[in-house]
Amino acid sequence: MAGAEKTRLRRKTFEVLRHLVAGPGQLVTKEALLDGVWAEAAVSDSMPSICVAELREALGDDARTPTLIETVHGRGYRFIAQVVTTTGSDPAPKYRAVAQEPAIIMVGREAELAQLHGWFARIRGGQRRVVFVAGEPGIGKTTVVKAFLDSVAQDRVSESAMANASSSTALVNRTCRYWRR
């Protein structure tokens, strides 16, 4: 890969790369990747290896003769390339402005929102809870979840409370997984 070439990666694949680069030369176990990248979800044990394969393909690395990511069979992975940190001499990255989403219009779902808020209050109090939002396509599951998350954000819930809730709660929508923006 050329030095200035841009490569698109899936978010979780990029998170795996960040974990590997954070400790160059150090072994990162599959368990550490699962805990660090997929802490909020139950996924297959094969996810780290899938993401590493995606990284190798995107970065032009070869598993048999690695120059970036080395597999330590049965243990995990190691980032073996030299990591160079630059200082303020590089130009600042440019970010695009993201348009705000319009307010959610929802009719007749007050009872469902109240139920989600009740469960969320119990979770914040330390009670474990798993919540599934399921139903027929097109009935507004995603809209209800978005409205709930927006109302929680408007209540200025602390980031630590959201982290605790996301580790003990799963809102699952069969057509669209949506937990954090």
Side-chain angles (χ1 to χ4, degrees):
M1 180 176 94
E5 186 178 332
K6 291 184 180 182
T7 302
R8 290 199 177 272
L9 297 173
R10 290 184 314 117
R11 185 173 55 94
K12 293 296 186 180
T13 302
F14 181 72
E15 289 297 319
V16 168
L17 179 61
R18 285 183 54 196
H19 274 76
L20 293 172
V21 170
Q26 296 178 359
L27 177 70
V28 180
T29 64
K30 183 188 334 184
E31 291 77 20
L33 287 173
L34 287 167
D35 290 343
V37 177
W38 291 277
E40 77 284 354
V43 296
S44 167
D45 287 349
S46 65
M47 287 310 297
S49 60
I50 291 169
C51 288
V52 167
E54 289 175 0
L55 284 171
R56 286 183 173 136
E57 181 178 342
L59 301 174
D61 200 24
D62 182 20
R64 296 176 200 262
T65 57
T67 58
L68 300 172
I69 302 170
E70 175 184 57
T71 300
V72 181
H73 292 285
R75 297 190 58 210
Y77 305 94
R78 182 178 291 130
F79 192 80
I80 57 174
Q82 180 182 5
V83 176
V84 178
T85 305
T86 59
T87 59
S89 62
D90 289 340
K94 296 182 180 168
Y95 298 99
R96 289 183 296 155
V98 177
Q100 259 187 326
E101 290 184 24
I104 295 173
I105 299 172
M106 189 172 57
V107 177
R109 296 290 187 199
E110 292 79 16
E112 289 83 357
L113 276 178
Q115 191 170 31
L116 287 171
H117 280 284
W119 289 330
F120 187 65
R122 290 184 187 140
I123 290 163
R124 289 180 61 197
Q127 185 183 54
R128 292 181 160 262
R129 175 88 44 187
V130 175
V131 177
F132 293 93
V133 178
E136 296 298 319
I139 64 170
K141 299 177 298 290
T142 301
T143 301
V144 169
V145 172
K146 284 183 178 182
F148 167 72
L149 292 173
D150 286 347
S151 68
V152 169
Q154 288 173 359
D155 290 342
R156 299 181 190 266
V157 174
S158 70
E159 189 62 36
S160 63
M162 286 299 287
N164 288 339
S166 67
S167 67
S168 59
T169 303
L171 294 174
V172 179
N173 179 331
R174 291 183 184 180
T175 59
C176 176
R177 287 186 177 179
Y178 182 92
W179 178 245
R180 295 189 121 177
R181 287 183 197 200

